[in-house]
Amino acid sequence: MLIVLGSAACRETPSSERTPTVESIEGSRVGVGALTLPNHRASVKFAVIGDSGRGSRAQHEVAAQMVLYHDRFPYAFVLIVGDNIYEGPATPDDYRKKFEEPYGRLIDDGVKFYAVLGNHDDPQQVAYPLFNMNRERYYSFAPPEDLLAKIVTRVEFFALDSTNLDHTQLRWLAERLAASRAAWKVCFFHHPLYTSGRYRTQARLHRLILEPLLVEHGVDVAFSGHEHIYQRITLQRGIHFVSGGAGSLRPGDGAPATYVASTFDRDYHFMLIEIEADRLHFQAISRAGYTIDAVPTPASAIALRML
């Protein structure tokens, strides 16, 4: 399989043999509300948010940008990578204030949300219907796109509970990944495997447990949160994104590191993703509507201004 991000390509070989490069526009503005994604008819389109469930003004402002972009880029679903409802046992009022009100427009438009548990989440969230977890801590699903998108681009998503990576879950993951015939295998979970933030020591432990399975079974992309920043990791063993800034923020936590291709910790954000055939396109967007990281396209080469 050939993975292509913009003009950069990485053939599926052992990570030690990979020498990919990914051009990005990190640190540049592409105009408020500008879309850098191809937005093709038959692609799989989705958004990613993490550490969102505060019910705060910042969460509402990020959600408002998600609505504006959805009007132009009709993503069908959103991955929530944990800490969905802060904090502890969640009441009906918590679900209303910290999820249903901020994302009400998207919910009304038929956008589905798929969640995983974070370390601050009530385990009973698995029963909340709008998180589509079906009372399971971990699960897999095919994207709820139209039939054409499903035929052209076969993608399968694997939602994991990284707060409790027990043997039963790991066995399930190995079996489901091995059985999958999807062209793209995408995992999402709360704790990052790679980060230069405050949890980089903890990330080593999660990497030790999870990465061998992801590599063995050809997982292409992993999304996580926990760190309240944005990071894109230099291609290691698959593509890794950290997106934990949809309702929480830790300015200054995005330390530079040789394995970090892009980092942003100055404002809240969300992500848009588009998968088509053998290409993955991404765009990370701040609360103010500016693009903070993306693979350039001809349309994004204009109106660049430094943050």
Side-chain angles (χ1 to χ4, degrees), residues 44-46 76-77 114 141-146 150 153-157:
V44 174
K45 305 175 182 69
F46 59 98
F77 61 103
Y114 294 90
F141 69 95
E145 302 278 354
D146 60 43
K150 288 184 177 180
T153 305
R154 292 177 294 111
V155 185
E156 188 169 358
F157 293 83

Side-chain angles (χ1 to χ4, degrees), residues 108-124:
D108 291 344
D109 286 345
V111 176
K112 299 186 71 172
F113 290 75
Y114 294 90
V116 294
L117 295 176
N119 57 298
H120 290 285
D121 284 322
D122 180 355
Q124 297 306 312

Side-chain angles (χ1 to χ4, degrees), residues 39-269:
N39 202 11
H40 289 155
R41 167 70 179 84
S43 62
V44 174
K45 305 175 182 69
F46 59 98
V48 180
I49 57 175
D51 301 81
S52 53
R54 300 272 187 193
S56 62
R57 177 178 176 179
Q59 183 189 6
H60 279 264
E61 290 171 344
V62 171
Q65 288 294 338
M66 294 175 68
V67 170
L68 291 175
Y69 274 87
H70 183 258
D71 290 342
R72 299 179 53 206
F73 181 74
Y75 51 89
F77 61 103
V78 179
L79 306 183
I80 318 179
V81 295
D83 286 355
N84 318 303
I85 304 290
Y86 285 96
E87 170 138 4
T91 66
D93 200 44
D94 285 323
Y95 289 112
R96 179 178 60 82
K97 290 182 177 179
K98 300 174 183 179
F99 178 73
E100 295 166 14
E101 289 182 358
Y103 307 112
R105 262 286 302 276
L106 296 174
I107 296 169
D108 291 344
D109 286 345
V111 176
K112 299 186 71 172
F113 290 75
Y114 294 90
V116 294
L117 295 176
N119 57 298
H120 290 285
D121 284 322
D122 180 355
Q124 297 306 312
Q125 287 182 24
V126 298
Y128 178 57
L130 294 182
F131 283 167
N132 289 291
M133 301 177 74
N134 298 315
R135 299 182 178 274
E136 300 289 349
R137 294 187 298 115
Y138 45 90
Y139 58 97
S140 64
F141 69 95
E145 302 278 354
D146 60 43
L147 181 59
L148 178 60
K150 288 184 177 180
I151 293 173
V152 173
T153 305
R154 292 177 294 111
V155 185
E156 188 169 358
F157 293 83
F158 301 84
L160 307 180
D161 177 13
S162 60
T163 63
N164 184 19
L165 289 169
D166 54 40
H167 291 295
T168 302
Q169 179 181 186
L170 295 173
R171 183 170 59 251
W172 169 88
L173 178 61
E175 291 173 353
R176 293 304 296 264
L177 287 174
S180 176
R181 294 297 176 261
W184 286 86
K185 299 176 184 178
V186 180
C187 284
F188 64 109
F189 40 84
H190 186 58
H191 298 84
L193 305 192
Y194 292 91
T195 173
S196 67
R198 65 180 62 190
Y199 297 120
R200 55 188 173 274
T201 300
Q202 185 184 66
R204 294 192 188 102
L205 176 60
H206 283 88
R207 188 160 69 243
L208 180 66
I209 297 171
L210 265 183
E211 189 174 56
L213 280 177
L214 306 190
V215 173
E216 179 182 355
H217 296 291
V219 171
D220 303 292
V221 191
F223 296 96
S224 61
H226 197 42
E227 298 279 17
H228 298 170
I229 58 177
Y230 168 80
Q231 289 198 324
R232 172 166 52 87
I233 306 304
T234 304
L235 292 178
Q236 304 281 342
R237 301 182 176 185
I239 308 163
H240 291 263
F241 293 97
V242 179
S243 184
S248 305
L249 183 67
R250 292 196 183 108
D253 264 22
T258 56
Y259 52 88
V260 175
S262 176
T263 189
F264 182 80
D265 61 12
R266 284 179 276 176
D267 199 4
Y268 301 81
H269 76 277

